[in-house]
Amino acid sequence: MAAAHADYTFRHDHLLGIEGLHPLDIAHILDLADTYAEATRKGLRPEPVLTGKTVVNLFFENSTRTMSSFEIAARRLGADVVSMPVANSSVKKGETLIDTAMTLNAMKPDALVVRHSASGGAKLLSRKVDCAVINAGDGTHEHPTQALLDLLTIRRVKRRIEGLKVVICGDIAHSRVARSTTMALHLMGARVHLCGPRTLIPPGTDTWGAESAGTDFDQALPGADVVMMLRLQLERMNGSFLPSQREYFRYFGLTADRLALAKPDGIVMHPGPMNRGVEIESSIADGERSVITQQVEMGVAVREAVLHLLAGGRA
Amino acid sequence: MSLEIVNAHLIDPATGTDAPGGVLIDRGIIKEFRTGTGVSFSGASETIDAGGLCLAPGLIDLRAKTGEPGGEHKETLATASRAALSGGITSLVVMPDTRPVIDDVALVQFIAERGRETAFARVYPAGGLSVGLAGEAMSEIGMMAEAGAVLFTNGDWPIASAQVMKRAMAYAASRGAIVMSRPDDRSLAGGGVMNAGEFAARNGLSGIPVEAEWIGAMRDVTLAEQTGCALILDQVTTQRTLDIADIARGRGAKVFTTVAAHSLFFNELDVGDYLTYCKVNPPFRTEQMRKTLIQCLKEGSINAVVSAHDPQPPEEKRLPFGEATFGAAGLETVLPCLLTLVAEGELSMIEALTPVTIGPASILGLPQGRIARNAPADLILFDPGKPWLCDRDHLLSRSNNSPFDGRRLQGRVMRTFVGGRTVFER
């Protein structure tokens, strides 16, 4: 496998967030993921580095997409996979996150992939188990594999990350993707500009590495190499955080006219699932500048790399 | 039976005394005290040589929660009292948010009796301001006051309706009762779990904004002014709230303010990696706000420092931060917290002890909290510089959810007297 740096070794026991990673870690994960992406495109089976290993997907929040992505990644590398959508199981009967974790830990898995609705959920779990914990989204905190797949997608299309202008637009306040992706892009030298309604822009985004956070999308777009739209949760739309879906689309929806403000070769991204006609026009989502399906493809590659590094011995 | 304590260093904030001296106790009452070296009293049947330790009034805590009745696994009056005495607190006001809520005469009497029977510290019941703390109907304020309730509060859930609050305060004023209320507009603070700001946003936690406290305080002091009711603004965290209280006092309102001891010690960054022992409400604010609070304490604009003792068992705390219950055990760390600030040069000894002795005693009109002739002999002997490491497993509270766990503190109680009787000795 390609190494980012001659003396480099990946030293983390868990992947809980982008915070705490070094640019060399990120480069290393992306390099490894790139080789997995290439192998898949060529129709090659990767080396089964996870043979005999058990990966447990523990999803306290429903997410078919992310869970399937991890499941496919783990299986491609030869792992045994148990997926537990616990959103409807014993946890609802009063068993706590820690109890569930202790129970699973006793079954000796090699990696736990966790999604939980509480910020810090993955971190809490990592303190109580002996295996690697991969955060697949904790509340409104972090979603590191999403950030890594975003970076891989950008790097493959743009051939670099450093120096690019990335505009991220939408519900920044409640988005774990915005946090993780902003931090990761900043670490790798991109310039990140955040944009959204005033009620959904949290304080202190400069500490994540964002260069600006504003409410004027049109002003942010010129010169953008990447435009990343975030999903707007329907419950935030009806007068609580912003007046209406219609008004949101007027100021923050990505239309052809708006996209024309970005660089001519600027690409469009979305972590999914999309609200077509709410944050993005369908023709843009499906247009030639959209790399949204590539993001999904890179998701599997990044998760193969992360599982390999954390559960499969060091690469 | 008379007892003299000699070779002590007397500290009495009521008179500003900070000098060598001794006291003579007779039948539970301070009979005489004198400053100077080599002080002794004639005719004492027992002598305690303090060996130069500080002798001060026992602390009075205006805000402690226990689990009695209904949550005895968290804390009983007896275990709270034991923890309090080891921390130098000799009088404590217990909150009404128990199960059932202390909102009628019989329950006030129950707490007072259980306090007398099972606790060595003096236990004062606080009455629920509204029935069931539901914030709708006012409780029997007058009769509960007669039965011994020293103040009335809606506990952690301030009454949301300004109209209900106004009527309750107007009625309380007519019965001469004191109302204690958390300045907190829940419609703003609602889902928050820590101080609103950059750190909360970065950690993906919803915030409790300072303006919720300011707006709550504005409402409550306005009603205090209009109704003439004596009001304690409970657990203030910012200078601006103290300013709001000052302005109201200037207009003739009877307003007092308290600060939780832990708010003088921790800031929001102590929440760190989702440490639920640091999840308290009101939350730890910014470092700058903490420093300003200490300055306000120096200047005397805070009437009382409280423990805000809120025992929570592990099952309430071993949860993701957002899901964990608010609250910190505090009885054993109020004095060490203040003495550490003294050791660090932030406060003088008198500034540190005023808001835990004569400050709260004056609000409630209690005779203790001072070294004075004929005052109850509720006293503590402490070593102001003694360093120790707070280990939650060694705390006496039945719940050990202390944010001070693992912290180095300076200053420790060596002996505690209630009514002249030794009730704790280290």
Side-chain angles (χ1 to χ4, degrees):
Chain A
M1 300 298 169
H5 191 273
D7 301 328
Y8 173 83
T9 37
F10 189 80
R11 294 184 186 281
H12 301 274
D13 296 324
H14 310 287
L15 180 66
L16 302 174
I18 296 298
E19 192 169 17
L21 292 185
H22 189 275
L24 284 177
D25 296 323
I26 295 176
H28 184 64
I29 297 169
L30 296 183
D31 288 347
L32 182 57
D34 216 5
T35 64
Y36 279 124
E38 281 307 312
T40 305
R41 285 209 169 170
K42 289 178 187 149
L44 303 173
R45 293 266 336 148
E47 205 184 318
V49 291
L50 297 185
T51 302
K53 307 280 186 179
T54 305
V55 175
V56 176
N57 280 330
L58 188 59
F59 276 58
F60 292 88
E61 272 184 342
N62 290 321
S63 168
T64 317
R65 302 161 59 99
T66 308
M67 194 158 83
S68 315
S69 180
F70 270 105
E71 197 169 324
I72 290 166
R75 285 197 204 285
R76 277 197 189 149
L77 300 182
D80 298 317
V81 184
V82 182
S83 286
M84 301 183 56
V86 272
N88 329 305
S89 74
S90 56
V91 178
K92 282 234 163 119
K93 296 171 199 146
E95 192 179 57
T96 66
L97 172 62
I98 289 180
D99 290 336
T100 308
M102 301 300 271
T103 305
L104 288 170
N105 191 46
M107 300 178 196
K108 307 285 176 212
D110 298 284
L112 270 176
V113 178
V114 187
R115 169 165 293 191
H116 196 277
S117 59
S119 299
K123 173 89 193 178
L124 177 63
L125 212 123
S126 73
R127 292 199 189 108
K128 306 290 173 186
V129 299
D130 308 316
C131 66
V133 173
I134 298 167
N135 181 5
D138 64 323
T140 53
H141 180 222
E142 284 231 44
H143 192 355
T145 58
Q146 177 69 43
L148 293 166
L149 74 86
D150 288 340
L151 265 63
L152 182 60
T153 307
I154 293 169
R155 203 176 75 167
R156 284 176 65 96
V157 176
K158 294 287 174 190
R159 299 278 139 216
R160 67 189 168 110
I161 293 171
E162 196 174 350
L164 294 179
K165 176 175 179 180
V166 182
V167 176
I168 302 178
C169 179
D171 179 357
I172 308 296
H174 301 95
S175 174
R176 51 196 173 210
V177 178
R179 280 169 182 74
S180 290
T181 302
T182 301
M183 284 189 232
L185 284 168
H186 173 66
L187 281 176
M188 303 311 280
R191 292 171 292 123
V192 184
H193 297 267
L194 302 176
C195 190
R198 177 71 195 271
T199 46
L200 294 172
I201 300 269
T205 51
D206 55 321
T207 71
W208 315 354
E211 287 203 359
S212 75
T215 57
D216 191 336
F217 195 19
D218 293 346
Q219 199 184 27
L221 282 169
D225 297 286
V226 178
V227 182
M228 186 180 295
M229 304 304 294
L230 300 174
R231 178 183 168 79
L232 187 70
Q233 300 288 339
L234 293 166
E235 65 265 25
R236 313 222 199 277
M237 252 180 280
N238 303 319
S240 53
F241 284 88
L242 45 94
S244 69
Q245 192 167 310
R246 172 164 103 137
E247 179 149 340
Y248 183 74
F249 189 74
R250 181 176 179 92
Y251 298 111
F252 301 101
L254 187 60
T255 58
D257 286 349
R258 280 222 166 87
L259 186 56
L261 297 171
K263 275 194 184 164
D265 63 347
I267 55 171
V268 174
M269 303 178 76
H270 194 296
M274 276 182 285
N275 294 310
R276 289 166 184 268
V278 175
E279 65 250 2
I280 189 165
E281 224 168 51
S282 252
S283 61
I284 302 295
D286 304 327
E288 57 178 9
R289 292 165 74 176
S290 162
V291 295
I292 295 169
T293 50
Q294 278 188 60
Q295 286 177 271
V296 178
E297 181 190 350
M298 292 310 125
V300 177
V302 154
R303 285 159 188 142
E304 284 179 87
V306 168
L307 284 165
H308 179 170
L309 290 168
L310 290 172
R314 301 303 188 227
Chain B
M1 265 299 280
S2 59
L3 164 72
E4 62 173 353
I5 304 173
V6 299
N7 192 19
H9 188 94
L10 296 192
I11 294 170
D12 180 35
T15 52
T17 305
D18 184 351
V23 300
L24 177 66
I25 298 164
D26 188 25
R27 277 161 287 184
I29 299 292
I30 297 172
K31 200 173 174 196
E32 209 184 332
F33 68 95
R34 256 184 279 145
T35 55
T37 45
V39 165
S40 69
F41 304 88
S42 54
S45 53
E46 192 192 341
T47 299
I48 292 172
D49 183 339
L53 291 176
C54 290
L55 180 66
L59 276 58
I60 300 169
D61 182 12
L62 292 181
R63 191 188 219 281
K65 285 167 76 170
T66 80
E68 186 167 352
E72 285 83 358
H73 63 295
K74 296 180 180 181
E75 193 89 282
T76 62
L77 292 169
T79 60
S81 155
R82 210 173 47 176
L85 295 171
S86 81
I89 294 170
T90 48
S91 298
L92 63 159
V93 179
V94 295
M95 294 297 102
D97 34 0
T98 47
R99 268 178 274 170
V101 168
I102 308 306
D103 61 358
D104 77 18
V105 175
L107 287 160
V108 168
Q109 285 167 343
F110 167 81
I111 295 291
E113 267 165 40
R114 288 289 291 172
R116 276 192 297 274
E117 283 167 15
T118 67
F120 290 112
R122 298 183 200 271
V123 172
Y124 297 91
L129 185 56
S130 65
V131 175
L133 303 183
E136 287 159 10
M138 73 176 84
S139 55
E140 293 172 331
I141 294 168
M143 281 160 64
M144 282 197 280
E146 273 186 52
V150 293
L151 57 86
F152 294 85
T153 174
N154 228 55
D156 294 332
W157 290 91
I159 290 177
S161 157
Q163 189 185 56
V164 173
M165 188 64 172
K166 182 181 174 185
R167 287 178 182 161
M169 287 176 80
Y171 188 83
S174 73
R175 309 281 3 142
I178 303 169
V179 166
M180 180 164 88
S181 181
R182 277 277 317 280
D184 187 12
D185 185 325
R186 281 297 157 99
S187 65
L188 264 174
V193 296
M194 71 169 292
N195 183 43
E198 293 182 7
F199 192 66
R202 190 186 172 94
N203 286 298
L205 296 172
S206 50
I208 301 172
V210 282
E211 57 267 28
E213 179 171 310
W214 300 337
I215 291 171
M218 294 288 286
R219 182 196 75 167
D220 290 347
V221 301
T222 304
L223 296 178
E225 189 190 331
Q226 294 293 312
T227 60
C229 181
L231 171 72
I232 303 172
L233 285 179
D234 178 25
Q235 298 179 77
V236 169
T237 62
T238 72
Q239 177 180 24
R240 182 152 159 182
T241 317
L242 297 169
D243 291 345
I244 290 168
D246 268 342
I247 292 167
R249 272 193 285 260
R251 294 206 177 104
K254 275 179 271 178
V255 178
F256 306 99
T257 53
T258 76
V259 165
H262 52 225
S263 291
L264 298 168
F265 199 88
F266 297 99
N267 67 38
E268 59 179 352
L269 300 181
D270 288 304
V271 165
D273 254 342
Y274 305 99
L275 300 178
T276 57
Y277 283 9
C278 289
K279 183 176 176 181
V280 290
N281 195 5
F284 299 151
R285 302 289 188 189
T286 63
E287 175 61 5
Q288 206 241 318
M289 289 175 175
R290 181 189 78 90
K291 286 196 156 147
T292 314
L293 271 190
I294 292 172
Q295 194 53 39
C296 292
L297 192 64
K298 262 184 113 58
E299 289 162 6
S301 53
I302 296 165
N303 299 97
V305 168
V306 298
S307 73
H309 184 69
D310 189 354
Q312 296 294 341
E315 62 269 24
E316 300 290 339
K317 287 290 188 183
R318 292 178 66 213
L319 292 168
F321 195 86
E323 295 169 13
T325 305
F326 286 109
L331 288 169
E332 290 156 84
T333 43
V334 174
L335 184 64
C337 165
L338 290 167
L339 292 177
T340 301
L341 293 173
V342 172
E344 286 169 354
E346 303 264 17
L347 295 171
S348 75
M349 189 62 86
I350 295 289
E351 287 161 354
L353 294 189
T354 301
V356 285
T357 54
I358 191 66
S362 315
I363 298 175
L364 296 185
L366 298 174
Q368 64 265 37
R370 68 203 83 198
I371 298 178
R373 243 167 231 111
N374 297 324
D378 295 1
L379 298 164
I380 54 172
L381 276 173
F382 65 91
D383 181 344
K386 191 181 176 69
W388 62 290
L389 181 70
C390 180
D391 177 345
R392 63 190 168 91
D393 293 332
H394 295 160
L395 294 175
L396 296 179
S397 166
R398 185 164 281 180
S399 295
N400 55 10
N401 51 312
S402 170
F404 289 91
D405 181 43
R407 297 283 176 156
R408 290 180 189 286
L409 297 168
Q410 272 194 58
R412 238 180 165 188
V413 170
M414 305 312 287
R415 191 160 175 167
T416 306
F417 306 84
V418 171
R421 191 153 73 105
T422 298
V423 285
F424 172 79
E425 204 170 353
R426 178 163 271 121

